[in-house]
Amino acid sequence: MRPVIRTLLLLLLCSVLSLSPLSLQAQPASKKLRIVTSTTQIADFTRQIMGDRAEVISVLAPGADPHTYQPTPDDVQLVLRADICMENGLHLEGKSWMATLARDADKPLVTATTGLAPLLVGEGEEAIMDPHAWFSPRNAALYVNNILKAVSGFDPANRAEYQARTRLFLQQLRVLDAWIREQVSRIPPHRRILVTTHDAFNYFCREYKFNPGNDFLSIAPVGWSTGAEVGAGITPERRRKVVQSIKESGAPAIFVETTINPKQIREIAQETGVAIGGELYSDSMGPAGSAGETYIGMLRENVLLIVNALQ
Amino acid sequence: MRFILTLLIWLVIIGGLWSYSRQRQAAEAEIVIRNPTLTLAKEVYSLKLTPTFSSEADPFALQTEDSGPVALELRLNGRLLPVPADQLNRGIPWTLEGVEGLVMGDNEIYLAASPPLSEGSLEHGMRVQLARAGVRVVDTTLWSSQGSLVSGTIHFALTAKEESHDH
């Protein structure tokens, strides 16, 4: 075949393909936002708002501990490709690793706890703002509204859609809160003793009236963080207080957490003769396919375990 | 000769495609979406809401740049009606006189209100009454359970015949 004819045939093929009915109907695919979050909970809240309009990726894998996490080179690459970064804040992310990742990559950072009135744990100069605020669904609603504001500002064209999804999710949180109150009411008030591995359940205890003898704050051998910050970790004094609380209150069961080594709690259970009530989701949601893979699922499963063990 | 034949085939195919796409565009242009003609109701209507709870700030309300948390949302035919979120008191009716936006034919009222969280174990309700010169057109109670919102949609129709009966 002569080169001129071959070129003409090629041109013809290109013209036919470019004018085919399929190409006439094709819509330009809108670019998905890429949002990188520090924790699995914030990733779930963001997915509930964004639907399929964003690819939401959590730096922490299910079961990972945010207090002691060390970012990897892969995390740096992940954040470099992000449009927005989101963190819990209140020093949940040990040594502010998410803020550092976002700052180094020059990416906007949203702190989901902005505007929250945090619980203070510890006393005097050692008082720490408790970062585990998501354990109260009403705080979760504040996280969700903060995330909504941020993504609406970033992508105003789809604001109405984000608001519609948020409205539905907030109603689900409202129903979850009422359901927890109903479930917890099955436990006699004097048996509402929640002992866990670390001080993650303060907001939960305050909201649903657990641990009346401890000012409705959590009882745990390990402080607010598993890291090396002020007020964090385990001390002999804390451990002694926990054992004493269990013996005085007659708690029927104590609980281990999914993100922390259960050794301490198992030893305390042996020492005090109480049962292990089960494994609670705390600083991370469950893996994909588990009942705790969403925020609502995580709280639901925790509450069922607690109610079954304590009622 | 072969060159001319190729050019001819090319022209026929491109011409066919161009003709097809023009025809399709013309067909699409012929579809005219006509908005139904809406006739506004002439009479004066009043809307009365009677809640079984007093409103309070709702931590689960949507908060946007435009508005803070809203304890009561009321829409008539898709349009938000002004509501006094802080004036809803248990058992005390709140009335909106001269409701605007009612049309002859089918109408829709949507209502969503958030009862206090501390009363989540109770079943709460809101009685909705729409009246024309003292004659009740709608009288329905919407209920909630297990901490959900008191919400629902009320459908009703206004006819010219009914409007004229009152005179």
Side-chain angles (χ1 to χ4, degrees), chain A residues 8 12 145 163 167 170 174 178, chain B residues 3 10 61 63 73 114-115 147:
Chain A
L8 274 172
L12 173 68
N145 273 311
Q163 286 182 1
R167 198 181 289 268
L170 289 171
R174 178 176 239 280
Chain B
F3 172 74
W10 186 83
Q63 295 181 42
E73 186 177 330
S114 44

Side-chain angles (χ1 to χ4, degrees), chain B residues 21-150:
Chain B
S21 60
R22 283 295 299 266
Q23 268 186 329
R24 209 177 56 163
Q25 279 171 2
E28 279 173 2
E30 278 172 21
I31 302 168
V32 179
I33 298 166
R34 290 188 181 84
N35 287 322
T37 312
L38 297 174
T39 310
L40 288 173
K42 289 174 192 161
E43 299 296 317
V44 178
Y45 289 80
S46 65
L47 182 68
K48 186 157 65 171
L49 304 177
T50 313
T52 62
F53 55 90
S54 299
S55 61
E56 61 178 48
D58 180 9
F60 293 100
L62 181 79
Q63 295 181 42
T64 65
E65 295 86 349
D66 319 320
S67 68
V70 179
L72 171 65
E73 186 177 330
L74 185 63
R75 287 180 190 273
L76 173 63
N77 295 328
R79 197 172 60 89
L80 273 172
L81 293 181
V83 286
D86 54 346
Q87 286 173 31
L88 282 180
N89 293 302
R90 185 193 308 270
I92 299 173
W94 170 80
T95 308
L96 176 66
E97 297 289 354
V99 180
E100 290 179 2
L102 285 162
V103 295
M104 304 313 296
D106 294 331
N107 288 272
E108 183 185 276
I109 291 174
Y110 167 79
L111 182 143
S114 44
L117 288 177
S118 54
E119 298 174 11
S121 57
L122 304 175
E123 290 199 346
H124 274 297
M126 177 93 77
R127 187 175 181 189
V128 181
Q129 293 166 290
L130 182 76
R132 176 186 57 237
V135 179
R136 244 177 279 166
V137 179
V138 172
D139 190 350
T140 305
T141 303
L142 301 171
W143 292 96
S144 77
S145 64
Q146 286 282 326
S148 65
L149 298 176
V150 174

Side-chain angles (χ1 to χ4, degrees), chain A residues 218-229:
Chain A
S218 68
I219 301 172
V222 178
W224 70 277
S225 165
T226 52
E229 300 94 332

Side-chain angles (χ1 to χ4, degrees), chain A residues 167-179:
Chain A
R167 198 181 289 268
L168 173 64
F169 188 55
L170 289 171
Q171 286 189 34
Q172 291 171 345
L173 292 179
R174 178 176 239 280
V175 173
L176 173 72
D177 176 71
W179 178 83

Side-chain angles (χ1 to χ4, degrees), chain A residues 4-18:
Chain A
V4 178
I5 293 175
R6 203 186 303 157
T7 310
L8 274 172
L9 279 174
L10 202 66
L11 270 173
L12 173 68
L13 188 68
C14 289
S15 307
V16 168
L17 284 175
S18 66

